Amino acid sequence: MRVLITGANGMVGQALERSLTAEGHQVNCLVRRPRLQRVAPPPQSQDYAWDPDRGTIDPDALEGLDGVIHLAGANIAQGRWTSRRKQQLRSSRVEATTFLVKALRNASTRPDFFLTASAIGIYGDQSDREIVETHPAADDFLGTLGQDWEKASAVMEQDGVRVVALRLGMVLSSHRGALATMLPAFRWGLGAILGSGSQYVSWVSLEDVVGCVRFLLEQPRLRGPINVTAPEPVTFKTFAHTLGGVLHRPVWMRIPSLGVRFLFGEMGQAVLLSSCRVLPQRLLDHGFVFHHASLPAALNACVNEREQRS
């Protein structure tokens, strides 16, 4: 199988590249800049350049594809949401997707599937309600951004391409992402509960994200939105105390909601304080088995992997 991956420099993109090439698949990686730090890249993987801001893409990357895994998008939680930052987030998702879809439709052949990253932020703040894929999108910034992102990908359906929107929760890895950012403070016993701690965190291990994508590649009837979250979301208070327990450290600090909003503004409210109790209903209905279904198992695996590498 020949698969194109965008966002190949990201946490999920790199993990998928390793997994697919290990199985002997050919992976075309679209990157904005040369990956100079790559050590012994797999022979089944090749980098191709693209720059959606400038409207350039290497056409060789698009030929003979069986499918596309589109993961490119600026980090939603990196800094305050100024007007300029919001436009960057939108451009890296909606406009970049529109450009990629147009290039694919102009290629000599069409892929069979188009898997695109999305996020559970599309649902907005839902308190303690259990949310499945049929729940409507919110009308706030993340909800609108998510809808427009998925609509840009859905254009591929006009060519008979199977389109799947991967609505990702908090992806757990000890090396990158939210957990990696939290680990140093928690290791020093300085981990904190944000706000009331009652907001739900819908998480998923990086290993299960890769497993989910591999599962979807073999499920030709599955299309549309898929919640990529573990089946046991927890409150932030439970998340913090579980992480502290895994590291054998107390969790006694609390940053009030006012402090979070003061430090991070709208981003802090939408990403750190909002509650979204998301269930992977469609994955469970189709028989997907999570390797890390419980938070303690996922956090222990992440911490142990980090310690083995250090």
Side-chain angles (χ1 to χ4, degrees):
M1 182 183 295
R2 183 183 293 271
V3 178
L4 176 73
I5 296 180
T6 73
N9 280 324
M11 171 176 59
V12 176
Q14 288 185 357
L16 276 170
E17 180 190 7
R18 289 192 299 268
S19 177
L20 291 173
T21 55
E23 291 292 325
H25 300 295
Q26 178 68 44
V27 177
N28 294 357
C29 297
L30 273 185
V31 294
R32 288 175 178 261
R33 58 187 64 87
R35 295 194 281 179
L36 301 177
Q37 304 300 320
R38 297 191 80 190
V39 178
Q44 297 92 349
S45 177
Q46 185 170 349
D47 287 356
Y48 295 88
W50 79 318
D51 189 335
D53 294 333
R54 297 185 178 183
T56 61
I57 190 169
D58 188 335
D60 291 340
L62 310 180
E63 296 302 325
L65 296 175
D66 294 291
V68 176
I69 303 173
H70 178 42
L71 305 172
N75 187 342
I76 206 81
Q78 188 174 349
R80 297 173 71 94
W81 287 350
T82 61
S83 296
R84 181 179 180 181
R85 181 58 179 170
K86 282 185 173 181
Q87 179 53 42
Q88 289 173 337
L89 294 173
R90 182 175 181 83
S91 176
S92 70
R93 287 165 169 75
V94 182
E95 295 171 16
T97 301
T98 299
F99 171 68
L100 176 61
V101 166
K102 182 178 179 180
L104 287 166
R105 299 186 78 193
N106 287 333
S108 59
T109 58
R110 302 285 189 277
D112 294 325
F113 61 84
F114 187 98
L115 272 59
T116 180
S118 183
I120 62 171
I122 196 171
Y123 299 119
D125 188 346
Q126 296 297 329
S127 186
D128 62 350
R129 289 185 290 274
E130 293 185 340
I131 305 301
V132 297
E133 288 87 351
T134 54
H135 196 279
D139 59 1
D140 57 9
F141 172 67
L142 287 184
T144 302
L145 179 62
Q147 290 181 79
D148 292 344
W149 194 7
E150 293 183 8
K151 287 178 182 177
S153 300
V155 172
M156 292 296 296
E157 294 178 342
Q158 298 175 16
D159 296 324
V161 177
R162 178 171 68 102
V163 177
V164 179
L166 307 169
R167 293 179 176 174
L168 295 160
M170 179 197 290
V171 182
L172 301 185
S173 167
S174 60
H175 300 284
R176 299 179 69 174
L179 178 61
T181 302
M182 297 166 66
L183 275 174
F186 276 78
R187 286 185 184 278
W188 284 96
L190 299 175
I193 295 171
L194 302 181
S196 68
S198 63
Q199 69 271 32
Y200 270 86
V201 177
S202 296
W203 58 273
V204 62
S205 73
L206 177 59
E207 183 177 344
D208 278 331
V209 173
V210 173
C212 168
V213 172
R214 298 287 300 274
F215 178 78
L216 290 169
L217 297 186
E218 300 171 357
Q219 300 289 324
R221 295 183 180 180
L222 266 177
R223 59 181 66 230
I226 299 288
N227 290 338
V228 186
T229 60
E232 296 182 11
V234 299
T235 63
F236 191 91
K237 182 177 180 180
T238 298
F239 186 96
H241 282 296
T242 303
L243 180 55
V246 168
L247 297 171
H248 308 290
R249 296 291 188 273
V251 177
W252 54 273
M253 295 179 62
R254 184 185 297 274
I255 301 177
S257 299
L258 184 62
V260 175
R261 286 191 287 268
F262 175 78
L263 291 171
F264 302 107
E266 183 184 354
M267 187 280 286
Q269 178 63 47
V271 176
L272 304 177
L273 298 178
S274 290
S275 179
C276 203
R277 190 180 184 182
V278 178
L279 301 180
Q281 193 63 57
R282 297 191 68 200
L283 284 176
L284 295 175
D285 288 346
H286 285 81
F288 180 72
V289 178
F290 286 84
H291 189 73
H292 299 122
S294 70
L295 183 62
L299 292 178
N300 271 297
C302 288
V303 170
N304 290 339
E305 181 190 18
R306 186 181 183 92
E307 290 176 349
Q308 290 171 5
R309 291 190 179 185
S310 60

